[in-house]
Amino acid sequence: MSERELKRIEVLSKVIERRISTASGAKILGLTVRQTQRLLRTFQDDGAAALRHKARGRCSNNRIVDNVRDFVLELIREHYVDFGPTLVREKLLERHQIAVSKETLRKWMTEAAIWTSRRERKRQIHQPRGRRDCFGELVQIDGSHHWWFESRGPKCALLVYIDDATGKLLHLRFAGSENTFDYLIATKAYLQEWGKPISFYSDKHGVFRTTHGSEKDRTTGLTQFGRALYELNIDIICANSPQAKGRVERANQTLQDRLVKELRLRGISTIEAANAYAAEFATDFNARFGKEPRNPKDMHRPLADHENLDSAMCRKEMRTLSQALTLRYDKVLFILDPSVFAKRLAGKKVVVCDYPDGRLEIMEGSTSLPYRTFDKLRSVHRSEIVENKRLDEALAMVAEMQAGRELTRSQHGPRRTGQANHLFGIPDGSQSNGYQKRGRKPGRRTDFMNDPAVIARREQALAGLLAAE
């Protein structure tokens, strides 16, 4: 029996023994006098068992059947495994027309070990991991965004390569940001100096890991950087937490203290000058903090005969040639020279290799196909239009609209920092048809289009066209 029922038995027994009055007993139980009198008659006629709740042991009339509960849990595991009970309730009602209260869902998800309340979540335990035995067995890589030049220069990123077994800095590179091209350049320099390590250990930055892989591609789930390592037979491991790659994280803290001060003493304020000094700093750092590995064997491997470092360390995308031997890449139309070999490739796939230094090649196997480009973003030149009294004002308006906006490439296209445009040889960041610097937002066209003078001129030109018709 419950505690409340036992209390009722005790109070009613005192009322029967006339130790307290019925009104006093009702006050103790928190009931009315009439309800206490009914309980007293029931207790005298049928005994203590009659005070038990009549619905005890019976299923509720509003109880949800087990089949519905199992079906809902299956939907949660399939679609909403990382959702909270409140959001799950909304999605079940919105997408599956199933109405279940959030507290019921919370109970079900807790019993099924899908959901743990914040109060019950325990702090994660990160136990220390021993160093690897051999030099080159595991190399941790990370990018550290910091004011490396303090107020003397812009904020930038330092790409750090550190050996897990010895704690030695193997390569440092300053870059405007963590991007694929700078990681490819830094990794290529590392491989040329040390050789191929067994594996790289990184975080889950978008350069190293993607969740949008193609089911038809054997390199599913790999980024351009991961694909380059795959071609060179180098593994990449993505850590689940910063603590897992604590070696490079602690090195970043040391660098943000010592390296910043060394750059200040030498008056270095540019990325180019800092990259020139990075090797000297790494040598001094390794002499002070480097450790000897437990096993003296060097696990770095030389490049195999069939491995081309320059070909691997680039951005590669598949494109299908049209029947006119053309393809599009980053809003540029590439027209292949109609050679006998190229004509046989019409309708077939080729590989566009975009190199970090700005070069671009269209490859079929090991053959580079010559091409010319047609830039679809180039402006209409006023001098190339034949004079026409009907179109004169309209073309003047178009020319002014083109002058008031910045031409940008695709938002998903490759971005470089401090490198020339591989299509037209224009330095990055110019106002012409080159790539925009990473981080720079293109000028908003809507601000120009809403200008009153432009609106009036556009209406005047359209009125002239209608009148001419």
Side-chain angles (χ1 to χ4, degrees):
M1 302 182 76
S2 66
E3 183 179 352
R4 187 186 69 168
E5 293 167 347
L6 292 175
K7 184 177 180 180
R8 287 184 175 183
I9 293 174
E10 180 184 359
V11 173
L12 294 177
S13 299
K14 291 181 180 180
V15 173
I16 293 174
E17 296 172 0
R18 297 183 182 279
R19 295 166 58 185
I20 60 175
S21 65
T22 304
S24 299
K27 187 176 181 179
I28 294 173
L29 296 177
L31 301 174
T32 64
V33 175
R34 294 184 63 183
Q35 178 65 12
T36 305
Q37 291 173 347
R38 283 194 289 267
L39 289 177
L40 185 61
R41 288 195 298 269
T42 303
F43 181 60
Q44 289 175 333
D45 295 342
D46 300 328
L51 297 180
R52 296 179 56 192
H53 198 285
K54 300 301 185 292
R56 181 169 297 169
R58 296 169 52 189
C59 295
S60 171
N61 294 332
N62 296 326
R63 180 176 178 268
I64 301 176
V65 297
D66 293 337
N67 292 338
V68 175
R69 177 180 180 273
D70 296 340
F71 177 69
V72 170
L73 288 177
E74 189 65 27
L75 286 176
I76 294 174
R77 289 191 182 97
E78 183 176 356
H79 302 288
Y80 316 112
V81 68
D82 58 340
F83 287 35
T86 303
L87 185 56
V88 168
R89 176 183 176 276
E90 296 175 5
K91 295 304 176 184
L92 288 176
L93 189 61
E94 175 185 337
R95 303 180 63 185
H96 308 282
Q97 290 75 47
I98 299 176
V100 184
S101 69
K102 66 178 181 180
E103 293 304 326
T104 301
L105 287 172
R106 191 187 308 278
K107 178 182 176 182
W108 290 354
M109 294 170 67
T110 301
E111 293 175 352
I114 300 175
W115 170 259
T116 304
S117 64
R118 291 180 176 86
R119 184 176 298 176
E120 297 175 356
R121 291 175 194 166
K122 296 181 179 179
R123 183 179 180 182
Q124 294 184 358
I125 300 176
H126 302 283
Q127 296 182 337
R129 173 185 60 83
R131 295 175 179 267
R132 294 298 177 96
D133 294 334
C134 301
F135 177 67
E137 186 176 355
L138 180 70
V139 176
Q140 297 189 18
I141 56 177
D142 191 29
S144 176
H145 292 265
H146 190 64
W147 290 96
W148 295 102
F149 309 124
E150 299 173 311
S151 60
R152 305 184 309 277
K155 187 176 183 179
C156 61
L158 176 63
L159 311 184
V160 182
Y161 292 65
I162 185 170
D163 180 62
D164 187 78
T166 62
K168 294 182 178 181
L169 296 176
L170 302 184
H171 189 72
L172 297 175
R173 175 178 172 79
F174 288 90
S177 62
E178 286 189 85
N179 58 81
T180 301
F181 281 116
D182 280 305
Y183 267 110
L184 291 176
I185 294 173
T187 305
K188 181 179 179 181
Y190 171 88
L191 297 178
Q192 289 174 337
E193 181 178 0
W194 299 98
K196 299 190 302 180
I198 299 299
S199 59
F200 283 115
Y201 197 38
S202 69
D203 54 17
K204 293 183 178 180
H205 191 278
V207 173
F208 310 114
R209 178 179 178 268
T210 180
T211 58
H212 305 287
S214 171
E215 296 181 356
K216 301 179 181 179
D217 187 5
R218 62 177 180 175
T219 59
T220 295
L222 295 182
T223 60
Q224 291 290 336
F225 184 80
R227 187 264 318 150
L229 297 185
Y230 178 86
E231 292 184 5
L232 298 175
N233 193 23
I234 302 174
D235 294 332
I236 183 167
I237 306 171
C238 294
N240 291 321
S241 66
Q243 292 82 359
K245 54 184 185 65
R247 196 91 57 218
V248 70
E249 295 289 350
R250 289 188 294 273
N252 286 338
Q253 294 179 356
T254 305
L255 293 172
Q256 289 176 5
D257 178 44
R258 285 177 170 259
L259 183 53
V260 168
K261 295 173 182 176
E262 293 290 347
L263 295 175
R264 182 199 308 160
L265 292 175
R266 287 164 174 76
I268 296 176
S269 59
T270 62
I271 292 179
E272 293 75 14
N275 283 329
Y277 168 68
E280 178 184 345
F281 176 85
T283 302
D284 180 72
F285 181 94
N286 295 337
R288 295 175 183 274
F289 304 107
K291 299 181 180 296
E292 291 298 324
R294 287 195 290 265
N295 189 327
K297 183 178 180 181
D298 187 354
M299 299 299 291
H300 285 99
R301 301 159 293 163
L303 291 172
D305 295 336
H306 66 278
E307 293 173 341
N308 188 331
L309 185 59
D310 186 60
S311 175
M313 291 297 163
C314 66
R315 180 188 178 95
K316 293 184 179 180
E317 291 191 11
M318 301 290 291
R319 290 291 187 273
T320 301
L321 277 179
S322 68
Q323 296 298 322
L325 302 181
T326 62
L327 60 89
R328 286 179 173 82
Y329 176 75
D330 197 20
K331 291 189 178 180
V332 176
L333 185 68
F334 292 82
I335 306 173
L336 270 61
D337 293 346
S339 62
V340 177
F341 179 75
K343 290 179 180 179
R344 294 200 298 265
L345 300 177
K348 297 183 179 179
K349 293 185 179 297
V350 294
V351 180
V352 179
C353 299
D354 196 352
Y355 294 94
D357 59 4
R359 293 180 295 117
L360 189 140
E361 289 184 338
I362 300 176
M363 305 290 295
E364 202 290 319
S366 59
T367 304
S368 178
L369 304 174
Y371 64 87
R372 66 183 188 276
T373 60
F374 178 77
D375 189 0
K376 300 188 71 174
L377 289 182
R378 287 193 172 184
S379 305
V380 177
H381 296 284
R382 183 67 178 86
S383 59
E384 298 177 359
I385 305 297
V386 177
E387 291 293 339
N388 189 303
K389 62 180 181 180
R390 294 186 178 183
L391 299 179
D392 188 65
E393 294 182 357
L395 290 176
M397 178 194 66
V398 171
E400 187 172 353
M401 291 171 58
Q402 290 178 344
R405 66 182 176 93
E406 284 186 344
L407 297 179
T408 60
R409 297 291 176 191
S410 170
Q411 294 294 330
H412 304 288
R415 295 294 179 267
R416 296 172 174 78
T417 55
Q419 295 162 357
N421 177 5
H422 63 76
L423 297 180
F424 306 103
I426 300 171
D428 195 15
S430 66
Q431 293 296 325
S432 183
N433 298 322
Y435 287 105
Q436 300 295 321
K437 288 186 177 179
R438 186 178 181 90
R440 173 181 291 183
K441 296 182 179 179
R444 293 194 174 183
R445 185 179 177 183
T446 55
D447 297 338
F448 177 78
M449 293 295 292
N450 294 330
D451 185 82
V454 176
I455 295 175
R457 193 174 293 106
R458 181 169 66 247
E459 292 177 352
Q460 182 180 1
L462 293 177
L465 289 175
L466 293 175
E469 292 292 337

